[in-house]
Amino acid sequence: MSPNLLTRKVLSLSRTSKRLFVLFVDIVLCIITVWFAFYLRLGEWVGIAGSGVFSSASALEWRPLLALVPAICISIPIFIFAGLYRAIFRYSGLPVLMTLMKAASIYGVMYAFIFTVIGFQGVPRTVGLIQPLLLLMAVGASRVFASFWFGNFQSARLHRSEFIRVLIYGASTTGRELAYALINNNQMKVLG
């Protein structure tokens, strides 16, 4: 499947489907960042369910699943409440990234509190500090990538000549208003 065809299919999805897809991507990013935080802390890959990987220094079994469930259960509601799933990514920019930073900061404080102050057997305390930073970078990168990819596709689409060419007859106020209204139209291009 070509990238343009894939992009067209994604852009043609309903708004609800796009939101659910982005929600799914954020859940996958939570899983990946918890797993990677364990790797950065321990220096070895640990099975996400704690599948028998033991540290050579102790007999403690590492349990990334204990860190994963709170990551998803805390981050997703905060991201929903912050409005991260209402944004249209091809038009997003600095305001969306600032909203993401605020939401990730709230999440980071809550997540760090759970794992550094309270703590859980089998979850290193530093994972509570590393994972929120990784999640901020991963979700931010996904939003920037989506903005770049879909925004460039949309602007390239607007410059192609596959649109219906329109010529407005008349120089009155109504003609000018119609011309301004058609500037952002995805199906017609005003020639004059």
Side-chain angles (χ1 to χ4, degrees), residues 1-187:
M1 183 179 290
S2 75
N4 284 340
L5 181 61
L6 178 65
T7 304
R8 276 193 209 115
K9 285 191 181 282
V10 170
L11 289 175
S12 68
L13 292 173
S14 70
R15 191 171 183 94
T16 304
S17 298
K18 290 176 193 173
R19 287 178 179 172
L20 290 174
F21 178 73
V22 174
L23 182 76
F24 174 75
V25 167
D26 287 350
I27 290 171
V28 169
L29 290 175
C30 278
I31 294 168
I32 290 170
T33 56
V34 166
W35 195 39
F36 196 60
F38 268 81
Y39 172 75
L40 290 176
R41 169 57 180 88
L42 302 173
E44 62 184 26
W45 293 107
V46 178
I48 202 69
S51 58
V53 178
F54 292 88
S55 171
S56 58
S58 69
L60 178 67
E61 182 178 353
W62 300 112
R63 298 185 182 130
L65 198 56
L66 288 176
L68 176 62
V69 172
I72 294 171
C73 291
I74 296 171
S75 66
I76 299 303
I78 289 174
F79 290 175
I80 290 170
F81 184 73
L84 290 178
Y85 302 113
R86 286 182 291 200
I88 300 172
F89 296 126
R90 63 183 158 198
Y91 303 120
S92 63
L94 190 59
V96 172
L97 290 178
M98 293 305 293
T99 302
L100 173 63
M101 287 183 69
K102 290 175 188 174
S105 297
I106 294 168
Y107 163 73
V109 168
M110 293 173 72
Y111 193 79
F113 178 79
I114 290 172
F115 289 103
T116 58
V117 176
I118 298 172
F120 283 95
Q121 180 82 11
V123 179
R125 293 183 186 276
T126 53
V127 167
L129 300 173
I130 297 170
Q131 193 274 340
L133 294 173
L134 292 175
L135 186 63
L136 171 65
M137 290 188 292
V139 172
S142 73
R143 299 307 196 265
V144 168
F145 175 76
S147 175
F148 175 75
W149 183 270
F150 295 121
N152 283 348
F153 177 80
Q154 187 70 10
S155 65
R157 208 174 124 199
L158 287 174
H159 294 342
R160 279 189 266 149
S161 63
E162 65 185 35
F163 300 106
I164 298 171
R165 296 178 194 160
V166 177
L167 184 63
I168 299 172
Y169 179 75
S172 67
T173 307
T174 308
R176 285 191 297 272
E177 289 175 1
L178 179 60
Y180 288 125
L182 291 176
I183 287 175
N184 292 325
N185 190 304
N186 292 336
Q187 297 171 350

